[in-house]
Amino acid sequence: MDSLRCVLLVLCFQNYWNWLQTLEEVALRFVVLADWGGVPFPPYYTPHEEAVAAEVDRLAQTGGVDFILSLGDHFYFSGVKNAEDPRFKHTFERVFSQPSLLDIPWYLIAGNHDHKGNISAQMAYSDTSHRWNYPGLYYDLQFTAPHTNVSLSILMIDTVVLCGNTDDQTQPSGPENPRDAEQHWNWIRSKLASSKSDYVVVAGHYPVWSIGNHGPTSCLVDRLRPLLKKYRVTVYLCGHDHNLQFIREDDGSSYVVSGSGAVSDPATTHRNSVPLSWQLYSSPVNHTAGGLTYLQVNEHQMTVTFKQTDGKCVYQAELPARQHV
Ligand SMILES: *[C@@H]1O[C@H](CO)[C@@H](O)[C@H](O)[C@H]1NC(C)=O
Ligand SMILES: *[C@@H]1O[C@H](CO)[C@@H](O)[C@H](O)[C@H]1NC(C)=O
Ligand SMILES: *[C@@H]1O[C@H](CO)[C@@H](O)[C@H](O)[C@H]1NC(C)=O
């Protein structure tokens, strides 16, 4: 009798568990990281980077993580030399090493520091690591939320190709190869014009808007921002400034900065470069610590959650699906 009850209980629990899992799978869930590239001397990572990895592990084991977007500056200060560079081990593999993370795909695009080294080597590393996906300087990703028809397009763009490199404190100096830059702008325009997805995300390294040390990138304010509005992009994601920010313009266009992968920078240098009413949250102004951004997508909305490395949710925003015309 007791053993029968036990079997029934197990069956029941199994069904309940399956049902819970189905509910969870109805959302697509991903983490946005940038600027986690450690330091160029032993131990080649920072304590903050380790804490970020621990928080991604926690999310993978609780809410679930389907993939990770990594938006540049993977290796401070000058990228890697070749695909065998030990920095892949020291700054990436040994830090994001928790068992729950080993099968989660990373999709990467380069930052200004990566471009100071060998970008082909970062792409070539895709053949060495099954979780490292960097197929080209820029590319797009298509996802469908499990058990739904809810579609998400992500344009991974290279803002250094578009705007040029920087010596860290200044605005990017203009594209190194203007023809490549124009080709990239045309690619962005045509991808956005043809997308019918319920959610469209554009992700690059430099910010459009930011209140931090680097501030807004005029090249992107001038040329990318009008495209984001025209094609009703759900959100622009970036790094470069080493903090967390959520900025929303009066017309609803939304901007996330998630660049505190290696450090948490308290600077508010460009607080006056962004209209105050658009600054809904930032880790320095709101006196919270940096960490990561976690996005969940279902048929009703995209939920953007900013998390400190101790797992605390410090800000949350909900973004609607694009209106279908
Ligand atoms: C860049 O990395 C690739 C892949 O490891 C290598 O074949 C190439 O020689 C490297 N380029 C330079 C300039 O070192
Ligand atoms: C997805 O779309 C197909 C074709 O329009 C439809 O048959 C199906 O029921 C939809 N599935 C869900 C979960 O909405
Ligand atoms: C963050 O700080 C700004 C400016 O002080 C304030 O207006 C806003 O309400 C704060 N937001 C949160 C989420 O604490």
Side-chain angles (χ1 to χ4, degrees), residues 211-213 242-245 264-269 271 281-290:
I211 61 125
N213 178 38
H242 300 167
N243 53 32
L244 299 176
Q245 301 178 52
S264 188
D265 179 356
T268 55
T269 320
R271 198 156 178 213
Y281 163 75
S282 72
S283 49
V285 173
N286 294 83
H287 303 294
T288 57

Side-chain angles (χ1 to χ4, degrees), residues 249-270:
E249 297 191 25
D250 296 333
D251 67 0
S253 43
S254 298
Y255 305 83
V256 164
V257 179
S258 186
S260 67
V263 293
S264 188
D265 179 356
T268 55
T269 320
H270 288 86

